[in-house]
């Protein structure tokens, strides 16, 4: 278990050992075991929630009729659970195991290890509590409110402190490639989280983003894309470089390729975020940068995939017998597929069809289920027998898990690709007369409902395999005993003189400080080049004189829109396509969003775009639609929101919200803020009076009134083209 780093380096380098004596020390396996158990527990929780929301989209009754289990509130819980709970704990599990052995030392501090573990679990629990309550920022993959953001920062610092402390006192002076990826992951995630989490608190559970509109969108998708890059990709590449050679008992295919792979990946990845915002109000130069670097990204990504697969040269016969290697091969293949598809989706002609559709959902889950899921399962199957000094309970059961998981991915991805192609084409289809063939958006939704059922079945298959793994790992643990502190020996200092010692890169491989500095420089360049012009050059966001701040009632309605997670299903960005301007109205302008803290452009259209919905329907239509969506849109898969008619607007927060936004640059007058609730009630009364004329009685304080006010405001600040629908 204390194999020298040289065993997994190319060319089997020779070693000269300077022995000033031999140390006996103990690896901390207990912390690895704890993170392993947490990985399994949160994996089941996150995937179970995923199965539930998959069927919610097929049948709205699965929303269970209460506000805490609707798709809009639970979908962020699913993404946070699988990304930060399941994958996050898997990262810590793998890093804490491999780093000790690569550095030939115990983790720097047992206390910091425990703080890392329990702090991370408390953060996850806080997400489980707050997200179903509707306490959210609405920013994708960054929905947690500001107190939890601070906690994440502190625990991430604890992890980094422990990691760099371990590296600093390592006995093995050469840093293997896996450690490079761990360093880059820590530094980049820290930068991403701090920059994207710049927000102004209103109270303990509410804040507004420090950025607005176009700039908020740019920062968010710089973060969102690179959260995938540096939380779901780079740490797992480091883990691949450690666990794959171990499992295959083969050296890494190419040391030189790993160098090119590492530096080109971390430099290029950071630029690609704007490809999530093609054809939006983001300036064209930023979109073009995103496209160019996204296309370039295929080279380093496939370099990593090739290095992984070719590491198995001479060991493919083992793949037939070893379920661990089966999982790893499919994981690396899924990584290659996802990183080919990503650059392809960044091409504007492809993106025009794919964006906002279920194609993107399929793409994301090929990576998540295949790359992250399968590599995590492989690590668990490899680690547990070694932690408990025993054999895996059942290879047959592990093989069954592999095939169930593979079928689950296929049953998930193929229907979602089909649904995405169908949506993209139906949205753009015109008749011979030049009118939209599917002018009612609901027609495109009903067409793909069977695909949603199949997706749910795929999720059930994938999850059933995980349950098999849980039983297998439990029986494995029961058949052995945990080696909490694994005894090992190593020279006090190990100096490596290898065939690669004269290589230009060798000097930095023994210098963690320089490695960290240059990695930070590499990841900062792209962000700075994109951010500085976007924030400094005013012409990037042309202002529109008619665009005014939201009224107090509209602001409260907007916050309810955020609370209910409407942004998970509805976009607010009409792209400059004839198919969209015919369906929705005038395309969206950058200047319309200057007071939007946070931006709500969305990334998926399960329902129609809402940026031009203001004035399109009477108040009564929105009233009935929120009470029973099928009454206005027969066959709708949207859940009902009866609590909005019973709960009252929290007027105690109105002035604080306006004052916070004023600090962020929204031009509210002090007099207006002082009388904000009077204005709120006056506008609410106007709406309820209109509703009363149509025989609808509702009190002005009801939340539904604020939501109606917000929806009726959307897109009305500029002259709107008449729409076909």
């Amino acid at each position: 278990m204390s194999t020298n780093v040289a065993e997994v380096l190319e060319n089997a380098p020779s070693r000269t050992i300077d022995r000033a004596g031999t140390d006996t020390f103990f690896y901390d396996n207990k912390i690895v075991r704890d993170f392993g158990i947490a990985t399994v527990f949160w994996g089941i929780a996150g995937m179970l929630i995923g199965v539930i929301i998959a069927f919610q989209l097929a049948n709205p009754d699965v929303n269970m009729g209460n506000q805490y289990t609707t798709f809009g509130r639970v979908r962020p819980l699913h993404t946070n659970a699988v990304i930060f709970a399941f994958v996050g704990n898997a990262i810590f599990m793998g890093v804490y195991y491999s780093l000790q052995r690569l550095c030939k030392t115990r983790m720097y501090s047992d206390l910091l290890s425990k703080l890392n573990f329990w702090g991370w679990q408390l953060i996850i629990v806080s997400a489980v509590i707050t997200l179903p309550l509707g306490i959210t920022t609405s920013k994708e993959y960054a929905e947690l409110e500001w107190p939890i953001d601070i906690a994440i920062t502190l625990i991430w610092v604890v992890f980094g402190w422990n990691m760099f402390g371990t590296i600093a006192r390592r006995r093995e002076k050469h840093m293997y490639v896996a450690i490079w990826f761990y360093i880059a992951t820590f530094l980049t995630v820290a930068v991403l989280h701090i920059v994207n989490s710049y927000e102004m608190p209103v109270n303990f559970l509410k804040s507004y983003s420090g950025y607005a509109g176009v700039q908020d969108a740019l920062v968010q998708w710089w973060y969102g894309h690179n959260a995938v890059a540096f939380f779901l990709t780079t740490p797992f590449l480091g883990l691949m470089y450690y666990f794959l050679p171990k499992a295959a008992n083969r050296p890494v295919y190419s040391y030189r390729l790993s160098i090119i792979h590492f530096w080109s990946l971390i430099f290029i990845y950071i630029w690609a975020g704007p490809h999530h915002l093609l054809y939006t109000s983001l300036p064209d130069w930023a979109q073009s940068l995103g496209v160019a670097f996204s296309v370039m990204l295929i080279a380093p990504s496939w370099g990593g995939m090739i290095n992984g697969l070719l590491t198995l040269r001479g060991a493919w016969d083992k793949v037939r017998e070893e379920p661990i290697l089966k999982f790893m091969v499919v994981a690396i293949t899924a990584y290659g597929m996802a990183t080919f598809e990503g650059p392809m989706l960044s091409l504007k002609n492809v993106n025009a069809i794919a964006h906002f559709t279920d194609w993107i959902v399929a793409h994301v889950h090929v990576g998540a289920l295949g790359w992250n899921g399968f590599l995590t399962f492989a690590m668990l199957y490899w680690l547990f027998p070694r932690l408990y000094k025993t054999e895996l309970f059942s290879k047959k059961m592990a093989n069954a898990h592999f095939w169930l998981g593979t079928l689950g991915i296929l049953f998930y991805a193929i229907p979602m690709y089909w649904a995405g192609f169908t949506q993209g084409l139906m949205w753009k289809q015109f008749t011979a007369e030049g009118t939209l063939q599917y002018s009612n958006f609901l027609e495109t939704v009903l067409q793909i409902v069977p695909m949603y059922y199949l997706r749910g079945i795929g999720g059930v298959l994938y999850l059933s395999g995980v349950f098999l793994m849980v039983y297998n790992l439990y029986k494995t643990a029961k058949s052995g005993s945990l080696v909490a502190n694994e005894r090992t020996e190593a020279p006090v200092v190990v100096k490596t003189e290898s065939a690669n010692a004269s290589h230009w890169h060798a000097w930095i491989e023994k210098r963690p400080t320089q490695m960290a500095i240059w990695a930070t420089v590499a990841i900062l360049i792209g962000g700075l080049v994109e951010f500085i012009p976007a924030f400094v050059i005013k012409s990037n966001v042309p202002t529109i004189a008619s665009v005014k701040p939201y009224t107090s009632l509209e602001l409260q309605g907007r916050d309810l829109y955020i609370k209910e997670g409407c942004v998970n299903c509805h976009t607010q960005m009409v792209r400059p396509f004839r198919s969209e301007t015919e369906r929705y109205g005038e395309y969206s302008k950058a200047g319309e969003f200057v007071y939007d803290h946070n931006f709500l452009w969305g990334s998926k259209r399960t329902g129609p775009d809402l940026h031009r919905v203001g004035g399109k329907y009477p108040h009564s239509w929105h009233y009935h639609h929120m009470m029973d969506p099928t009454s206005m849109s027969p066959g709708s898969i949207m859940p009902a929101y009866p609590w909005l008619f019973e709960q009252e607007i929290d007027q105690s927060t109105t002035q604080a919200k306006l004052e916070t936004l004023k600090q962020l640059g929204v031009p509210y007058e002090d007099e207006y803020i002082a009388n904000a609730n009077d204005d709120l009630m006056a506008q609410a009364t106007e709406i309820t009076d209109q509703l009363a004329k149509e025989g609808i009685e509702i009190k002005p304080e009801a939340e539904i009134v604020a939501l109606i006010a917000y929806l009726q405001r959307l897109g009305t600040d500029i002259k709107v083209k008449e729409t076909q629908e």
Side-chain angles (χ1 to χ4, degrees):
M1 300 304 297
S2 56
T3 306
N4 288 330
V5 175
E7 292 179 21
V8 287
L9 286 175
E10 185 190 41
N11 300 327
S14 60
R15 304 181 58 78
T16 301
I17 298 175
D18 175 16
R19 294 182 180 271
T22 299
D23 264 356
T24 298
F25 58 96
F26 297 88
Y27 293 137
D28 182 3
N29 284 344
K30 185 176 182 298
I31 190 65
V32 178
R33 190 277 313 268
D34 291 347
F35 275 118
I37 292 172
T39 299
V40 173
F41 175 80
W42 291 117
I44 290 173
M47 292 174 205
L48 181 60
I49 296 168
V51 169
I52 291 170
I53 64 174
F55 284 109
Q56 284 179 339
L57 287 178
N59 184 348
D61 291 339
V62 184
N63 285 271
M64 305 177 205
N66 75 80
Q67 60 185 311
Y68 308 111
T69 54
T70 60
F71 178 87
R73 294 203 191 182
V74 177
R75 189 261 181 181
L77 180 59
H78 164 64
T79 56
N80 278 267
V82 293
I83 296 173
F84 301 110
F86 171 58
V87 173
N89 278 296
I91 291 168
F92 294 132
M93 172 187 72
V95 169
Y96 273 85
Y97 183 86
S98 61
L99 188 64
Q100 295 182 82
R101 286 149 180 86
L102 291 171
C103 293
K104 297 289 188 295
T105 185
R106 189 180 178 90
M107 291 303 297
Y108 174 71
S109 167
D110 287 5
L111 176 60
L112 291 178
S113 298
K114 291 174 183 176
L115 283 173
N116 185 181
F117 176 78
W118 288 110
W120 198 255
Q121 309 318 310
L122 287 173
I123 287 166
I124 297 163
V125 170
S126 68
V128 172
I129 294 170
T130 57
L131 292 174
L133 291 173
I135 300 169
T136 174
T137 66
S138 80
K139 300 181 82 168
E140 203 155 358
Y141 314 137
E143 292 90 350
L144 303 179
E145 270 293 356
W146 68 271
I148 308 174
D149 282 340
I150 292 173
I152 292 170
T153 305
L154 294 175
I155 297 304
W156 196 250
V157 168
V158 167
F159 167 58
W161 182 3
N162 209 9
M163 181 179 73
F164 279 106
T166 304
I167 294 170
R169 70 178 198 182
R170 68 196 185 282
R171 292 176 175 84
E172 174 64 68
K173 290 305 175 185
H174 176 274
M175 292 189 300
Y176 179 53
V177 58
I179 299 176
W180 314 347
F181 280 99
Y182 300 160
I183 290 172
T185 295
F186 169 76
L187 295 169
T188 313
V189 169
V191 171
L192 293 169
H193 177 68
I194 291 170
V195 173
N196 192 53
S197 297
Y198 169 52
E199 52 211 355
M200 187 75 71
V202 175
N203 53 42
F204 187 66
L205 297 174
K206 177 64 181 176
S207 65
Y208 290 119
S209 172
Y211 318 106
V214 170
Q215 291 151 345
D216 192 31
L218 177 62
V219 173
Q220 162 58 24
W221 281 113
W222 167 80
Y223 163 88
H225 177 79
N226 290 301
V228 173
F230 289 90
F231 202 84
L232 299 178
T233 304
T234 56
F236 270 72
L237 287 168
L239 297 172
M240 177 197 78
Y241 274 116
Y242 180 82
F243 286 99
L244 179 62
K246 287 285 191 181
N249 197 28
R250 303 288 300 172
V252 167
Y253 171 68
S254 173
Y255 163 78
R256 290 170 179 81
L257 182 55
S258 69
I259 295 172
I260 297 168
H261 173 211
F262 172 74
W263 289 107
S264 58
L265 190 80
I266 67 169
F267 174 74
I268 294 173
Y269 232 133
I270 210 80
W271 295 74
H275 78 222
H276 291 264
L277 299 168
L278 300 184
Y279 293 110
T280 68
S281 301
L282 189 73
D284 283 343
W285 64 264
Q287 297 182 38
S288 298
L289 268 180
V291 172
F293 279 88
S294 297
V295 172
M296 284 190 274
L297 193 55
I298 193 171
S301 298
W302 272 45
M305 178 194 69
I306 290 167
N307 217 5
L309 290 178
L310 291 183
T311 295
L312 292 168
R313 72 201 188 286
W316 283 99
D317 57 309
K318 296 180 181 179
V319 176
R320 290 195 298 269
E321 307 296 331
E322 291 295 330
I324 292 172
L325 290 178
K326 285 188 178 76
F327 277 109
M328 287 184 170
V329 167
V330 172
I332 296 167
T333 304
Y335 170 68
M337 291 169 61
T339 53
F340 170 79
E341 188 180 25
M344 182 181 71
L345 287 168
S346 73
L347 299 173
K348 279 197 164 186
N349 54 346
V350 179
N351 188 276
I353 298 172
H355 199 48
F356 296 145
T357 75
D358 285 305
W359 185 344
I360 308 303
V361 178
H363 163 65
V364 168
H365 283 80
V366 166
L369 299 175
W371 168 238
N372 298 112
F374 269 31
L375 193 57
T376 297
F377 301 150
M379 287 192 297
L380 288 165
Y381 281 125
W382 194 87
L383 281 170
F384 265 64
R386 286 160 176 80
L387 296 176
Y388 286 89
K389 289 296 180 186
T390 186
E391 296 292 322
L392 183 65
F393 173 70
S394 172
K395 282 190 179 181
K396 287 185 177 180
M397 200 173 289
N399 274 312
H401 175 198
F402 169 77
W403 289 111
L404 279 171
T406 302
L407 283 173
I409 294 172
L410 293 174
F411 269 86
Y412 189 108
I414 293 172
M416 286 297 94
Y417 280 121
W418 192 290
F421 303 155
T422 302
Q423 286 170 309
L425 295 174
M426 290 182 74
W427 292 348
K428 292 181 174 294
Q429 187 64 38
F430 282 85
T431 66
E433 290 75 29
T435 60
L436 285 169
Q437 184 165 339
Y438 305 102
S439 58
N440 185 348
F441 187 91
L442 189 57
E443 292 180 82
T444 70
V445 176
L446 297 178
Q447 190 71 27
I448 61 176
V449 167
M451 302 298 110
Y452 287 161
Y453 277 109
L454 285 173
R455 183 254 299 269
I457 293 169
V460 170
L461 287 170
Y462 194 88
L463 182 57
S464 63
V466 176
F467 282 118
L468 274 183
M469 181 189 71
V470 170
Y471 181 75
N472 205 355
L473 295 180
Y474 170 75
K475 295 296 286 186
T476 300
K478 291 291 286 184
S479 68
S481 59
L482 176 68
V483 184
N485 296 286
E486 183 181 332
R487 186 178 186 274
T488 190
E489 293 182 354
V492 175
V493 177
V494 179
K495 294 180 180 178
T496 304
E497 293 179 3
S498 72
N500 299 309
S502 60
H503 194 274
W504 63 269
H505 195 258
W507 72 272
I508 203 171
E509 293 170 16
K510 296 180 182 180
R511 295 168 174 81
T513 302
Q514 288 88 334
M515 174 73 76
I517 290 170
W518 283 108
T520 304
V521 170
I523 62 99
L524 286 178
I525 292 171
L528 292 173
V529 170
E530 291 175 348
F531 289 169
I532 292 173
F535 282 84
V536 173
I537 301 173
K538 300 300 182 183
S539 61
N540 279 307
V541 185
T543 55
I544 301 172
S546 59
V547 174
K548 305 297 182 186
Y550 296 105
T551 67
S552 52
L553 182 65
E554 291 161 359
L555 180 63
Q556 291 284 18
R558 190 174 197 271
D559 286 340
L560 287 168
Y561 184 96
I562 291 171
K563 179 181 179 181
E564 298 301 338
C566 303
V567 71
N568 289 297
C569 291
H570 294 280
T571 59
Q572 290 187 24
M573 174 53 59
V574 181
R575 296 176 294 177
F577 302 143
R578 181 177 168 230
S579 59
E580 297 207 4
T581 57
E582 287 293 321
R583 186 184 300 277
Y584 302 118
E586 184 68 17
Y587 69 89
S588 303
K589 312 293 195 300
E592 295 182 79
F593 304 102
V594 292
Y595 302 130
D596 282 14
H597 300 264
N598 308 331
F599 87 111
L600 294 175
W601 294 359
S603 60
K604 172 72 170 66
R605 279 185 190 154
T606 304
D609 188 275
L610 298 180
H611 192 220
R612 300 294 181 212
V613 77
K616 186 174 182 179
Y617 305 108
H619 298 331
S620 58
W621 189 95
H622 292 292
Y623 180 95
H624 291 301
H625 187 245
M626 298 304 295
M627 178 64 81
D628 177 11
T630 59
S631 66
M632 297 290 101
S633 303
S636 172
I637 60 172
M638 175 178 158
Y641 292 82
W643 52 89
L644 294 177
F645 300 79
E646 302 163 1
Q647 296 171 178
E648 294 188 359
I649 303 164
D650 184 4
Q651 297 185 48
S652 66
T653 64
T654 308
Q655 289 188 355
K657 288 179 176 180
L658 295 174
E659 287 168 354
T660 302
L661 288 171
K662 183 178 181 181
Q663 291 179 57
L664 292 171
V666 181
Y668 286 114
E669 299 291 340
D670 290 338
E671 183 180 356
Y672 182 81
I673 295 174
N675 300 298
N677 281 324
D678 293 338
D679 181 78
L680 182 152
M681 287 304 299
Q683 187 179 2
T685 301
E686 289 179 12
I687 292 172
T688 55
D689 287 346
Q690 288 289 328
L691 290 170
K693 293 177 181 178
E694 299 185 56
I696 299 170
E697 295 296 330
I698 186 75
K699 56 187 178 183
E701 298 87 357
E703 288 182 340
I704 185 62
V705 177
L707 184 59
I708 290 172
Y710 172 63
L711 293 173
Q712 295 289 39
R713 169 67 185 275
L714 287 176
T716 59
D717 285 334
I718 65 172
K719 185 177 181 180
V720 180
K721 177 182 175 182
E722 289 296 326
T723 60
Q724 177 182 325
E725 187 177 2

